[in-house]
Amino acid sequence: MRSISTVLGCACALISAQIAAAQSVPAPAPLEELLNTGATYDPAIPTPEEVIGFPVGARVTQYELIADYVQAVAAASDRLSVEVIGRSHEGRPIHLVTATSPANHDRIDEIRAGRAALLDPNASVDLDAQPVVAQLVFGVHGDETSGYDSALLMLYHLAAAQDDETLAILDESVLLLCITINPDGASRMAAWTNQNLAVTPVSDRRHRRTSPPWPAPRTNHYWFDLNRQWLPATQPESQAIVAQTVAWLPNIAADMHEMGSNSTFWFSPGPRAGLSPLITQESYDLSVTVGQTIAEQLDSEGRLYVSEEYFDDYYLGYGSSYPSLVGAAAFLFEQSSTDGGALVTDHGLETYDRSVAEQFSALYALVRSARANADALRTFQRDYFVENASGPNRGYVFASEDRGRLANFLELLNLHGVSARVLARDVAVDGRNFSAGEAYVVAANQALGPTVEGLFETRIVPEDAEWRQFYDVTGWTMPHAYGIDFARISGSAFAGNMAGEAVPALDIARPAPAQADYAYVVEWGQHFAPRAVYGLLEAGLRAYMLPEPAQMRTADGEIETGRGAVFVPVRNQTLSAEEIHAAISRAAQDDGVVVHAIASGYTPEGPDLGSFAIHQLEAPHVVLVVGDGVRPEAAGEMWFLLDHEMHHPVRLANLSDLDAAALEDATHLILPNGGYGDMPDGFADALRAWVQGGGVFIGIQGGAEWAVSNAITNVAMRGVRAQGEESDDAAPAPSAPPRLPYSDKGNYDAEEFVSGAVFVADIDATHPLGFGYESGRIHLHRQGRNAFEPTTNPFATIIAYDAEAPLISGYVSSSNIERLSGLGALVAERSGQGSVVLFADDPFFRAYWRGTAGLVMNAIYFGTAFEPPYRPGG
C-alpha cells in the first residue's frame, strides 16, 4: 500500500457496542476452501502447512518459513525452479521462482533469448512460439502481509494442481514469482504480529497487534519505501527486481499490497487522466481488458471492489508503473488489511485467512487472463518496442567531473537496460560544451526509449492539467538529481557519429600520487571525498581545509585546487611517511578522489599551507534522531548516506530519550523531517547550550521548522510561527474565492500542496557549506510550502530558489511558485562556538538525489568553518 493513512480517507469510527461485543472468529479455513479452484492436487507435493507448521492464514508466516516452503515445493515439483536474485541489507536471500511446464523448463534459455530479441526491431521474432510472461512480486511492504502470504497458495497451486486449465497455463506461460522482495521488513512484521498472537483471537483494532513500533515494518533495513524505488533503484532489493524485469520483459506484472481496513479491494488501472505521458493509452486499454477477469472473479465471490480511480500512475517508480516502460500491462492489488489477524471493519468481521485467499483469487484470475489474452499482450509489446525504436531522432548527452556520481549514474542506466556510449566528438548545446572522450551519449529512439525519457526528461505539468491530484512526486529528472550536466539533442543535430564505444561501467579509482615529503592534498567536491577524509582522520592523521583556491607546487609542476581542498602534512604525524602514502593511495583507489603530492607549503596564488585561514578537521561524532515523531524514510536517508555511503559511524538516538546527556561527546546532531510536538521538555534549552559550546545542529524540513519555532535560530521561515510570535491580526481578510462545483474539489485542494518537484536555485559556492559546487546553479527536490525568509545576516542564505522561474519539472501551482520564488533553501548561522544549519528541502531524497548530498557532508565537515559578520544587525 502506498500510504494506509491516506487511502480512501480516515477509517470510520466503529459503533461502541460493536467494539465492546465479543467477536466470534472462525478457525482458519481449510486449504482447499482458500484455494477455491475446484482442482485436484498431487499428494506428492507438500502443502504449506506440512512445511510451515500451521494452516495458511492462521498467523503471519515468518520470512524464513516462506523461504523453507519455496525450497521444499521447488524440490518436489518439476514445474518450479528457484534462484536467489539478490540479498537484502541484512543478508536475507530474495527468491525468484520460475513456474512453467517441464517442457518449457528444458528450453528456458531459449525462451529468455527470445525475450531479449524483442528489443531488436530488426530481429525476426515468432510471437506465437513465445510463452506469455507474468511477473508476480510479493511483499514490497513488510506490513502488508496478505500479499506475501498469498504466495504460499500460488506456489502450491502451480506445483500441485492437476486440472486442465492450470496445465495449459503452465504450458503457455512463464510465471516469475518474486518471494519476497522486502525480507527485512517482512521479518520485522511477522515477529511483531506473532509476538502479540493470542490463542483467543482479538478483532478489536485497538489491540496492540495493530500498532507495530517505530519505524514500522513497511520499509527495508534503512527504512526506505521500496515501492518508490523501481526507477531510482538505490536499494539492493529494488536493484534485484529491476534487473529481472529488464531481463525478462514480462507481458504482465503484478504487485501485491494492502490498504486501509475499511476499504474494499482495489486493482489497476488507476484513473486514466493520472497516467504518465510515457505510458501509452493503448497500454491502459489493455489493462482494462485484462482486468475484466479479475472483476468477474470478485463478482463471483460477492466481493466489493474498485478500479480506475484514486491511485494514479504518474510517477514511474512504482511496481505498478515501471513495468509499463518495458511493455507490460502492470497491475497493483490493494487488499483491505486485517493487520495479520481478525478485525472488525465497516464491512463486518474480516479474517486474515480470507484476506490471503482473496489476494490469491484475484492474482490467479490475472494469471488466467494473461493466458486468455496472450496474443494481444505479445503483439502489443512487440509493436511497442518497434514503435519506440523508430521514433524521432533524439537523445541526451551528459558529463560530470564527479567520478563517483558519474559512475553511479552509469550503473543506473545499465541496470535499466539503457546503453550509454562515449561521446565521439565535441558537442555544443545551448552554450554548453561537451568534450569527446569525457562525456556520454544516450539515444532515446530505442526499444526502451520511454525508460530513457523517464530518467532524463523534464516536464512541467500545466496548472490547468486535467489531473492534479498526484499521489506522489511529479518531477524526478535523474541527471538533475545526480548533479550531472546534460542536454537534450534532437533532429539532425543528434547524429550517429556522436556515439563511440559502449560503457557498461566506470571504475572510480584514481591513480595513486607519488610519495610526498611535504604534504598531500585531496580535492573536495567529489561524492566520496568525505569518505576518504574520514578514513584518513580515523587513521590518526591530522588534516586541514583550505577555504580559498590555491596554486600548489608538485614534482610534476603546478596544480590548482578549489575551495575546500583538504591537505595532510607529512611531518609530525603518528604514522610514518610510507604509512601515510599507503593510506592516501587507498583513498584514491577506493574512494575515487584526486590526490596530489605537494612539494612546498608556499603557494604562488591563494593561501599558503600554514595560512591563518586554514581550518583543522576533526572526525565527526554524529547523532541522528530517530523514533516516534520522526519520519522513518527521512531518518533512513541520513543513516544510509552516512553509514552505507560514507562509512561514518552514526549514533541513533530515540527522540523520547533526548536530553543534555544525549549530546555528550557529539559534534553534530541531525534532526530529520518529522513532527516534533512531543519533543522532551527542556531539550530545546539543552540544545541551545550545546550549540553555544561548539556543536553543529542540522535541521531538515520538519527538523528545521522545529528549530525555527523553538528559537534555536533567529532565522524566520515562511509558514512557520516562532515561539511566542503573535499572528498578524491587522492582515486583511482573504477575499472569498469564486463559487465552484464540488467535482472540482480534488484539483482545488491539490493546488495547496507541493508533492514533489524539481526546483532550480542559486548557490553561494564561496561559502564553506557550498564548497565543491562550482556552478552558481543547483537543482533541488522540493516538497511542501515552507522556506526561509531573508535574514538580517547577508551571508546566511547559502541557497535561494530562483526568483523568476524556479520550477524545472513537475507540478506546482502558480500561487506556490510565487510563494517560494526567491526564498532560502539552505541557511546557516553561527551561535556561540557552534552553528545551526537548516535545510528547507530533503538533500538526499530517497537516496537518489545525490547532487545535494554534498551539502550534508559540508555541514558535517565545515559546519564551523565560517564566521558571522561583525557589522551590527548582520
Side-chain angles (χ1 to χ4, degrees), residues 37 72 155 198 399 535 613 680 698 703 844:
T37 63
L155 285 170
I698 301 172
F844 197 50

Side-chain angles (χ1 to χ4, degrees), residues 48-65:
E49 184 174 358
E50 289 171 341
V51 175
I52 67 176
F54 52 86
V56 173
R59 65 177 73 171
V60 175
T61 310
Q62 297 95 315
Y63 162 80
E64 291 76 13
L65 293 180

Side-chain angles (χ1 to χ4, degrees), residues 364-377:
Y364 190 54
L366 179 64
V367 169
R368 292 189 286 110
S369 188
R371 175 190 169 234
N373 291 280
D375 289 343
L377 290 165

Side-chain angles (χ1 to χ4, degrees), residues 190-553:
W192 171 260
T193 304
N194 293 333
Q195 285 168 13
N196 293 282
L197 186 68
V199 173
T200 304
V202 179
S203 57
D204 189 332
R205 72 175 61 255
R206 297 171 297 178
H207 184 54
R208 185 170 183 258
R209 181 197 84 230
T210 67
S211 302
W214 194 98
R218 173 185 179 89
T219 54
N220 76 344
H221 172 80
Y222 280 103
W223 311 328
F224 282 83
D225 185 333
L226 295 179
N227 196 36
R228 308 299 192 274
Q229 278 286 320
W230 286 67
L231 197 67
T234 68
Q235 303 300 297
E237 301 92 341
S238 301
Q239 291 162 5
I241 191 59
V242 168
Q244 290 302 311
T245 305
V246 172
W248 271 103
L249 305 173
N251 302 105
I252 285 282
D255 200 15
M256 315 296 288
H257 290 255
E258 288 182 352
M259 57 180 174
S261 58
N262 287 322
S263 306
T264 57
F265 187 96
W266 189 97
F267 62 91
S268 294
R272 184 181 290 272
L275 200 65
S276 165
L278 295 175
I279 301 176
T280 68
Q281 292 295 319
E282 292 80 7
S283 174
Y284 187 95
D285 294 337
L286 187 58
S287 295
V288 171
T289 298
V290 173
Q292 290 303 307
T293 305
I294 303 172
E296 293 166 4
Q297 179 64 38
L298 296 175
D299 282 340
S300 71
E301 299 172 4
R303 176 70 167 154
L304 296 178
Y305 58 89
V306 58
S307 185
E308 299 182 57
E309 61 180 76
Y310 193 76
F311 291 119
D312 67 83
D313 278 317
Y314 189 85
Y315 174 55
L316 296 172
Y318 301 134
S320 61
S321 56
Y322 178 83
S324 298
L325 297 178
V326 301
F331 281 81
L332 168 69
F333 287 175
E334 294 275 5
Q335 165 75 49
S336 56
S337 175
T338 64
D339 292 306
L343 203 65
V344 175
T345 75
D346 286 351
H347 304 292
L349 177 67
E350 299 285 355
T351 59
Y352 185 57
D353 60 328
R354 294 297 178 185
S355 294
V356 174
E358 284 158 2
Q359 290 271 29
F360 164 76
S361 179
L363 187 59
Y364 190 54
L366 179 64
V367 169
R368 292 189 286 110
S369 188
R371 175 190 169 234
N373 291 280
D375 289 343
L377 290 165
R378 288 189 292 247
T379 300
F380 166 80
Q381 187 179 53
R382 177 60 173 171
D383 291 347
Y384 171 81
F385 289 145
V386 171
E387 183 177 347
N388 292 337
S390 60
N393 196 39
R394 66 192 188 280
Y396 295 89
V397 60
F398 61 94
S400 175
E401 294 182 358
D402 188 320
R403 200 169 182 85
R405 283 189 272 122
L406 184 58
N408 289 161
F409 188 66
L410 288 168
E411 289 171 2
L412 179 69
L413 295 179
N414 186 54
L415 177 68
H416 288 296
V418 173
S419 173
R421 295 183 175 274
V422 177
L423 186 65
R425 61 178 176 84
D426 294 349
V427 173
V429 186
D430 299 330
R432 287 172 291 169
N433 297 315
F434 296 89
S435 301
E438 298 178 6
Y440 302 86
V441 64
V442 169
N445 53 331
Q446 57 174 284
L448 293 178
T451 302
V452 175
E453 298 291 1
L455 293 165
F456 279 87
E457 75 166 4
T458 59
R459 185 190 299 270
I460 294 178
V461 180
E463 189 167 18
D464 59 354
E466 180 182 358
W467 182 262
R468 304 195 295 277
Q469 302 168 51
F470 297 102
Y471 194 89
D472 203 0
V473 298
T474 60
W476 55 85
T477 310
M478 289 296 170
H480 284 329
Y482 277 70
I484 289 174
D485 190 23
F486 80 108
R488 181 185 176 110
I489 310 176
S490 60
S492 60
F494 189 74
N497 64 357
M498 279 186 179
E501 295 182 357
V503 183
L506 179 67
D507 185 1
I508 70 169
R510 301 277 189 172
Q515 185 166 332
D517 295 325
Y518 189 83
Y520 297 94
V521 166
V522 178
E523 293 189 10
W524 195 254
Q526 299 288 303
H527 183 69
F528 293 111
R531 189 169 77 186
V533 170
Y534 183 81
L536 298 175
L537 294 172
E538 277 296 285
L541 294 173
R542 286 179 292 106
Y544 306 85
M545 181 269 284
L546 282 171
E548 297 293 336
Q551 288 183 350
M552 299 184 190
R553 295 175 177 174

